[in-house]
Every structure is written in structure tokens, then in C-alpha cells.
Amino acid sequence: MIKQVLIGVLCGAAVLTAGILIGHFGITMSSAPSWVKDVAKDVDESLIEKFLSEVDNIQIQENLRSLTKVPHMATTAGDEQTVQLMLKRWQDPETGLDQAWREEFMVYLSFPDPKKPNKVTVVSPSDEVLYTAREKEKTYTSDQDDPEVVQPYAAYSPAGHPKGKLVYANQGKPSDYQLLNNTVDLRGTIAITRYGGAGRGAKAINAAPYGVIGVLVYTDPLDINDGLMSDINETYPHSWYMPPSGVERGSFNGQFGDMLTPYLAAKEETYRIPAENITGIPPIPIQPIGFEDAYRLICSSIALGNLFVSIPCCFILLNLNLFSSDVKLDIFNYEEKKNSSNVMGVIKGSVEPDRYVIYGNHRDSWVHGAIDPSSGTSVMLELTRVLGKMVKQGKWRPRRSIIFGSWGAEEFGLIGSAEYTEQYFTKLSERTVAYINVDIAVFANATLRASGMPSLQKIIFKAAKQVDAPGLDSTSVYDNWIQYSNRTSQANGLIPNVGYLSGAGSDYAAFVHYLGITSMDISYTYDRSKTNARIYPAYHTAYDTFDYASKFIDPGFVSHQAIARTAGNVLIRLADSLLVPLNCSDYAETLEDYLNTAVTLYQHQLQERNISMEPLKRAVASFRSAATHLDQVIRSSDLANETPLTVRRINDQLMLLDRAFLDPLAFPDKYAYRHVIWASSSAGKPTFPGLADAFANAESQSSAWDKVHYHLSVLSQAIEGAAHTLGDVI
């Protein structure tokens, strides 16, 4: 009897204890803070589907219409109108962002004098004007009649009044001037060059040592119009091709950022170097002109030398006796420090607000800028409208913070974005996951074009597979893209070709080269098998208008819509994924490809000079091993059930990978270039840029082989260091 009682008591006690424990833990779990669930949450695929369905091509069209009503060159009244438009949209109580504000920088810009227009004339020996080039482009629509359309000019060209015989100097490359100088005394001459081959300002920088005193530059119809020239039925307003009077404006400086405040944010009281200490700008006057004027001027030249000229000008000189005449440039440009605005907006992250995904596009244009940059701005406004509405309605908040940047004064040298990176250097270096750049969203309507770090390749592919290709039934952007541009990857098979961000073509430059932030740039573009145009033909002209964009670039704005969906998809995944969707093994494959090219091109000659490539080979192998190991760790981990610090550690390894390739001393002659894998290169070889340039210089200067050895060491140690960042923390 006692035994039964004891058993009953023990059983009752056990049941009671179990009940207490269950109740205790049940209460504990039910009262756990909400962040426990949030920390483990991954990207919501249904939210991405909703985002894709809500991106509206008509909204994008109307955005572009609003943005292009007036010319909006940086710091002008039109630019201020776009500032106010961005602020109004991003501060909208129903579809705006959490915060939006403007940030001012006092920057050094260059303008033509509206009271004294620049002139290009042909004058007789007695200074009689025989021919005058157009001061403004021909009018076809009311847009070109706007009084705020700036005269074509070369920003940062010095003022001056050079006069001399005209010589044709092809693309203004060093080799062009050297070849021409073999047959013509270039001292005191005016050179005429065509766009391409060398940077804008370099055409004058390369000319000055030969005694050239002025330079003209034009866009050749073979390079932009597939040879078409007549505005009667061949060029705009009949097609997308540049009219004969069209002139490509541009900045003729050679570095990015404000030139008076290198490595410092250009605030009002910031130290500024003397203007005479600026480098990388034309030392002699230079002026862009249309190809109709270029024809007449080139055909007056008596000093063509042996260079190829693609201009049929036999008929032009019938009534012009110009062969003994001079060409005169009267350039009245001036420089001024002016306030330029970035417009910033943010959606604050819910779990990791101190990790940033940045999306940017510049706002300023040379004239109306429908394609460059307003196609990108119209896409960004639609993207923020859809995401802002989700946030305002309480339907979504990203895991990480999203920062939107509408950069100012990009056309003058990527100034707004560069000053932003200089002002917030430390914060951005430590906290930024990635940067997405959508400048010209749509060059044309054939296919996607993407460039970026190799680690972003797979996320771009994933996004492109979820977006319908405009105008094609049952075809994704990805499937359409792979038909136009592809390559074979050892690991991934046949895939679309993703380019590299190795230069400074847009606002990604400071993020990639100065900060080492994983970046990408995407757009829709044309079928290169059907045109030789080096860029869309109305680029930087007065014809880049809403009319041009809606008729000839993207009727219906469906390619704009495809870019908004693709870029927004990537943005959401970078901001919301539990694990940052970057792939280090794709990076390893690129390093291996670069290494194989370097070995093929350089190893034999380096061995002859007792310079070994073995350290570089070992470093790349080490990186591959570390990348493979990290991939295995990720695949074998149940990250949703790992501690938050474990996930954060892996994410930081992926996020900071590109920072490991920075070397502030690797390129002392290249302003703000610190990334040893993606720095610009003049060698034109698909391999490590510093090594390629050093080798090219050493071939012509036997004393420069030490520099080759130096860059091998820089590369080897940077890649080895990057490999260690992917390894286990010790």
C-alpha cells in the first residue's frame, strides 16, 4: 500500500514538474522578443513578385516627361527644379522614403560665357572671316530653342584665341601625333580629331608637347551614325542618328571628383589647392563641333599626312578658297566654384540598420538629358515609389538599410558621388554591402548589359531570370541576354557575359576604386551586330529629349520597366537576404583567368630577367582554396538556426572581400585608384591592370623592369591577403 502511494506521489511529482517546465518554456518562447524571428528571416520571394508586378512603365514615362521639361545642367535653375522634384517624391507621405534631404558641396566647374560665345572660324591671311562654324545646333523641335540650352563647349578647356594651319590628327592618341609629326611640323597648328581612341582631354594633352596650340573634336558619322549624314531623311528627327550639326559636349578633365579638393569633401571651408596646380585638364584650348562643320574644316586642311580620313569632301571646296587660310578658335570659357546638391534618401533597415545597400544615379545633364541620365532617374523614382509605398503601408521593411543617392555634377567628373565617398569615407568603408549604379538605364531596347564585380554575377543572373524580356513572349531578360552576349565559364557553363568596372565611366568609380565596395552597373542596350555606334547617337547633344527617347530609344518604356524590375530585384535581395548573396568562387575564377593570361603574355620574358611569377600563382591558388572552403561552410550551415553572430561573421567576410584588394600606394600616378584588380589600364590586356601597364612600359624602357616586379609583389600580397579574409577567424 505504501509502495503504491509512493509511486503515485512520484508520478504526480513528475507530471507536475513536466507541466511546470512546459509552461515555463512555453511562456518564455511566447514572450520572446520579435527580433528573434526577424534575425533569422530570409528574403521573401512573394514580396519580390509583388514588387515586379507593381513597377509601371507608364509611371516611368511620366517621370521622364517631368525630368526633361527644361535643360538641367549642374547648378543651373533647371538643376534646382530636379532637386525639388526628387525631394517632393522622396518626402511624399504615402510613397516616400523614411528620410530625404539634400547635401551641398562647393565644387569647381567650367562654363562657356553666354555673353561671348565660343567661335571657330576660317580666316584669310588678312584675317577676313571666310567661314564660321555653328555656335548652336540646328533646331528640329521646340526643345532645342530653349534659352537654357548651353552652347557646345569643352568643360575645363582654357580660354584662348589660337590661330594656325589645320591638321587632321585622327583620334588624338599619342601615336597619332607621333605619326603626323613625322611628315608635318606641328608647331603652331590647330589639330582636328574625332571622338574615340583617347579621352576627351587627352586629345589636347597629347597634342601640346608637339607644339599644337589648339584642338577641335567632332563625332565621325562612321563611329556614331553607321555612316548616315543627311537630316533630310536619315538622321534625327527621322531616326535615332545624330544630325549633322549635333555636338557631343563633355567634361575634358582626366580625374573624378572636385579638382580643387583632392581626397577631401568639397565643403565651403575645405582647403583647396591653387587652380594652377590642377593636373589632367587640357593645357591648350579645345572645342567640340558638329560633323558638318568638321567636313568643311578638314577639307580645307593641307596637312593630312598619312592618316586615314573617312570624309568625302571633294565637293565642299568648290566655292571656298581655304587652302592658304588659318583656323581660329576664340574660346571664352571660365571656371567658377558653385554649390552642387546631392539628394539623399534612406529606408532604414529593421535588423541590420548599420549595413547599407546603396543605389545611385546622377541627376544633372548637359541639356535635357532624357537618356543620360534621366532614363536612370525615372527608373529610380519608380523603384522608390513602389518600395516606399510598401514601407509606408507597413507591408515591408528591409533587413539592411537602403540608401538612395541622386548625385549632382556627374557630367563634370563624377563629382557628387566622389565627394560623398570622401565625406563619409570611414562609415561607408566599414558598413556598405554593395553599390548599384543605374546611370543611363536604356541605351536602346535589344538586351541587358551588366558590369560588376564577379561576386555579383549570380545575383544578377537570378534577377534577370525573373523578369520578362520586353516585347518577347515567354522569354526572360536572362534568356534574351545570353543570345546577345555570352561566354563559357569553367564552373557555370554557358552564361551571359558580365563586364568589369575597370574605368571611371559613371558614379560607380569612387565606390569601386577608392572604397573597394562591391558594385554593379546595368542598362538595356542595342544589338551591336546591327550598328557600329559607340554610344547612342544623341549622347550629350541638344537632341537627347523626351521626344527622342519615346520615339527612337524605348517606345512604350518597356525596356525602362525591365531595368527597374531587374535592378530592384537585385536591390531587394542584397538588402533582405539572410546571407549576403555574393559568391567568392566566381571571383576566384576571374582571378584564375587573369592569371592564365598573365602567364601566357609575360612569364617567358620575366623568367629571362629572373622575375618569378610563382608568388602570384600561389596567391591565386590560395584564394581558390579559401573560396572553396567558405562555400562549403555556407552550404553545410543551417544559417537560419545559427547564432546571429555566425551569420554576421560570414556576411562581413563576403562584404569586405573587395576592400582586401585595396593598396593606396599601388598607383601613385592615378588619382583615387586603389583597387589592384580593377584599376584602369592603358595596355588593353584582359589581365591585372598594374602588371599589364608596368610590363608595357618596361618593353619600351629597359630600366622599368623593377616596376613589373613591384606590381607582381603588390598583386601577390593583395590576393593572398584577400584569401586570408575568407578563411576561418582565428
Side-chain angles (χ1 to χ4, degrees):
M1 185 70 176
I2 295 174
K3 184 177 180 180
Q4 290 176 331
V5 170
L6 287 173
I7 291 172
V9 169
L10 289 173
C11 289
V15 171
L16 179 62
T17 301
I20 292 172
L21 290 172
I22 292 171
H24 169 73
F25 285 107
I27 293 171
T28 301
M29 293 303 292
S30 65
S31 63
S34 60
W35 61 260
V36 173
K37 183 185 294 185
D38 291 340
V39 162
K41 190 169 66 173
D42 207 347
V43 66
D44 184 349
E45 293 293 338
S46 65
L47 181 132
I48 289 178
E49 290 178 8
K50 179 174 175 59
F51 166 80
L52 296 177
S53 69
E54 294 195 5
V55 171
D56 189 340
N57 59 308
I58 303 303
Q59 288 280 354
I60 296 173
Q61 171 185 289
E62 295 312 305
N63 290 342
L64 190 69
R65 195 190 304 274
S66 297
L67 288 162
T68 57
K69 284 181 178 178
V70 296
H72 48 283
M73 189 167 68
T75 74
T76 64
D79 185 30
E80 178 61 23
Q81 288 186 34
T82 63
V83 168
Q84 295 302 324
L85 173 63
M86 302 301 294
L87 287 172
K88 180 180 179 181
R89 297 289 185 88
W90 287 355
Q91 293 173 347
D92 186 279
E94 295 183 357
T95 60
L97 309 177
D98 289 334
Q99 290 177 275
W101 65 96
R102 65 191 296 165
E103 294 191 354
E104 304 288 343
F105 297 96
M106 183 68 74
V107 301
Y108 184 71
L109 304 181
S110 168
F111 302 99
D113 189 335
K115 297 179 181 178
K116 292 185 288 186
N118 295 342
K119 292 182 182 293
V120 178
T121 55
V122 178
V123 296
S124 69
S126 61
D127 271 351
E128 177 189 0
V129 175
L130 303 176
Y131 179 77
T132 301
R134 283 182 179 272
E135 293 177 13
K136 289 200 171 185
E137 292 143 302
K138 184 177 177 180
T139 295
Y140 297 101
T141 69
S142 60
D143 297 297
Q144 289 95 51
D145 277 332
D146 192 302
E148 293 303 310
V149 172
V150 68
Q151 177 199 19
Y153 77 111
Y156 300 108
S157 163
H161 308 277
K163 182 176 71 171
K165 291 290 184 287
L166 190 72
V167 295
Y168 178 79
N170 195 28
Q171 294 179 317
K173 303 187 297 293
S175 58
D176 292 328
Y177 288 112
Q178 184 177 3
L179 176 62
L180 188 57
N181 196 54
N182 291 337
T183 56
V184 178
D185 183 356
L186 293 179
R187 290 174 296 179
T189 61
I190 305 291
I192 185 166
T193 65
R194 59 191 176 97
Y195 274 117
R200 295 188 187 101
K203 297 176 189 298
I205 293 172
N206 297 337
Y210 292 94
V212 176
I213 58 174
V215 176
L216 295 170
V217 60
Y218 73 99
T219 304
D220 193 285
L222 287 180
D223 298 330
I224 202 75
N225 277 8
D226 297 315
L228 299 179
M229 298 161 47
S230 173
D231 63 351
I232 296 175
N233 58 3
E234 293 178 331
T235 66
Y236 184 79
H238 309 285
S239 74
W240 81 323
Y241 290 119
M242 177 191 284
S245 67
V247 184
E248 179 182 321
R249 298 153 180 80
S251 180
F252 283 64
N253 60 328
Q255 67 184 46
F256 55 87
D258 178 64
M259 291 185 289
L260 293 182
T261 58
Y263 299 111
L264 296 169
K267 308 306 284 188
E268 189 162 0
E269 296 181 356
T270 300
Y271 166 76
R272 285 170 167 78
I273 65 173
E276 57 267 25
N277 290 353
I278 292 174
T279 59
I281 59 175
I284 55 178
I286 183 169
Q287 173 72 14
I289 59 175
F291 66 75
E292 67 174 358
D293 286 318
Y295 279 15
R296 287 168 170 80
L297 294 174
I298 289 175
C299 291
S300 74
S301 173
I302 60 172
L304 295 176
N306 297 318
L307 296 179
F308 171 72
V309 182
S310 62
I311 295 177
C313 54
C314 57
F315 66 93
I316 293 177
L317 297 174
L318 293 177
N319 298 314
L320 294 175
N321 182 20
L322 304 181
F323 284 114
S324 62
S325 306
D326 289 332
V327 171
K328 185 180 180 185
L329 278 60
D330 290 298
I331 307 301
F332 299 97
N333 297 347
Y334 67 96
E335 292 74 44
E336 183 179 4
K337 294 191 291 291
K338 296 190 72 175
N339 262 332
S340 176
S341 301
N342 288 343
V343 180
M344 309 302 300
V346 66
I347 298 175
K348 189 175 181 180
S350 59
V351 178
E352 301 179 80
D354 63 330
R355 290 293 180 261
Y356 312 145
V357 180
I358 306 176
Y359 184 110
N361 157 250
H362 74 95
R363 190 186 61 258
D364 66 301
S365 64
W366 284 114
V367 193
H368 293 85
I371 301 304
D372 182 13
S374 299
S375 63
T377 309
S378 62
V379 162
M380 181 162 65
L381 283 172
E382 174 60 4
L383 196 153
T384 55
R385 180 191 71 84
V386 176
L387 296 182
K389 184 179 178 182
M390 291 178 178
V391 170
K392 295 294 186 183
Q393 293 178 346
K395 296 179 179 178
W396 173 73
R397 182 164 291 280
R399 178 186 188 90
R400 304 176 184 92
S401 294
I402 301 175
I403 298 173
F404 294 96
S406 175
W407 313 121
E410 187 268 359
E411 295 292 7
F412 287 86
L414 317 182
I415 291 177
S417 56
E419 299 314 300
Y420 176 75
T421 62
E422 289 170 345
Q423 180 169 8
Y424 300 106
F425 176 87
T426 303
K427 181 168 69 171
L428 296 176
S429 295
E430 294 178 351
R431 300 179 181 179
T432 306
V433 173
Y435 174 68
I436 301 170
N437 194 68
V438 183
D439 179 348
I440 298 174
V442 179
F443 290 84
N445 56 5
T447 181
L448 186 72
R449 183 179 75 175
S451 299
M453 271 69 160
S455 52
L456 279 165
Q457 178 177 271
K458 282 188 170 60
I459 187 177
I460 298 173
F461 292 167
K462 189 166 189 175
K465 288 176 180 178
Q466 291 185 294
V467 177
D468 293 333
L472 299 174
D473 294 332
S474 304
T475 302
S476 69
V477 165
Y478 178 92
D479 291 334
N480 183 57
W481 179 18
I482 203 171
Q483 295 178 39
Y484 283 92
S485 177
N486 57 65
R487 69 179 183 89
T488 301
S489 160
Q490 187 173 357
N492 304 304
L494 188 70
I495 55 175
N497 187 50
V498 177
Y500 301 136
L501 299 176
S502 55
S506 188
D507 288 300
Y508 53 75
F511 292 94
V512 173
H513 303 303
Y514 187 48
L515 296 185
I517 289 171
T518 303
S519 301
M520 60 173 281
D521 180 88
I522 70 167
S523 61
Y524 232 72
T525 191
Y526 44 86
D527 181 351
R528 291 191 174 272
S529 70
K530 294 182 178 178
T531 176
N532 291 321
R534 63 180 177 84
I535 197 167
Y536 73 97
Y539 175 68
H540 287 190
T541 72
Y543 307 111
D544 189 357
T545 62
F546 180 84
D547 178 74
Y548 179 82
S550 60
K551 287 182 179 177
F552 302 115
I553 298 297
D554 187 23
F557 289 82
V558 289
S559 295
H560 285 75
Q561 183 182 45
I563 285 295
R565 287 170 168 169
T566 306
N569 192 332
V570 172
L571 175 63
I572 293 170
R573 292 184 183 282
L574 285 168
D576 254 5
S577 296
L578 175 62
L579 181 74
V580 172
L582 302 177
N583 187 281
C584 51
S585 288
D586 285 342
Y587 220 127
E589 184 173 289
T590 296
L591 295 180
E592 289 164 348
D593 289 343
Y594 268 23
L595 174 65
N596 292 336
T597 301
V599 168
T600 300
L601 293 175
Y602 310 136
Q603 181 168 262
H604 179 68
Q605 290 191 56
L606 293 180
Q607 285 175 338
E608 290 179 344
R609 291 165 176 82
N610 295 318
I611 301 174
S612 174
M613 295 190 74
E614 292 308 310
L616 181 59
K617 294 177 183 178
R618 289 195 297 269
V620 172
S622 177
F623 187 94
R624 167 60 78 179
S625 177
T628 301
H629 174 72
L630 183 58
D631 277 351
Q632 180 58 37
V633 169
I634 292 170
R635 283 196 299 269
S636 62
S637 299
D638 182 7
L639 294 176
N641 293 309
E642 289 281 1
T643 66
L645 289 179
T646 298
V647 178
R648 179 85 162 201
R649 172 177 62 80
I650 295 173
N651 280 341
D652 281 356
Q653 287 175 290
L654 295 169
M655 178 184 81
L656 297 173
L657 173 58
D658 271 289
R659 260 66 117 210
F661 293 113
L662 297 181
D663 185 332
L665 302 178
F667 309 103
D669 298 329
K670 292 182 178 180
Y671 176 79
Y673 281 90
R674 308 194 303 158
H675 200 302
V676 302
I677 309 300
W678 306 123
S680 64
S681 170
S682 58
K685 305 296 183 183
T687 188
F688 305 108
L691 178 61
D693 284 351
F695 188 90
N697 291 335
E699 284 188 302
S700 60
Q701 303 174 37
S702 59
S703 62
W705 288 102
D706 283 349
K707 197 69 173 177
V708 179
H709 194 177
Y710 170 74
H711 271 286
L712 269 172
S713 297
V714 165
L715 269 174
S716 302
Q717 294 187 21
I719 295 171
E720 190 72 53
H724 283 292
T725 69
L726 299 179
D728 293 332
V729 176
I730 56 173

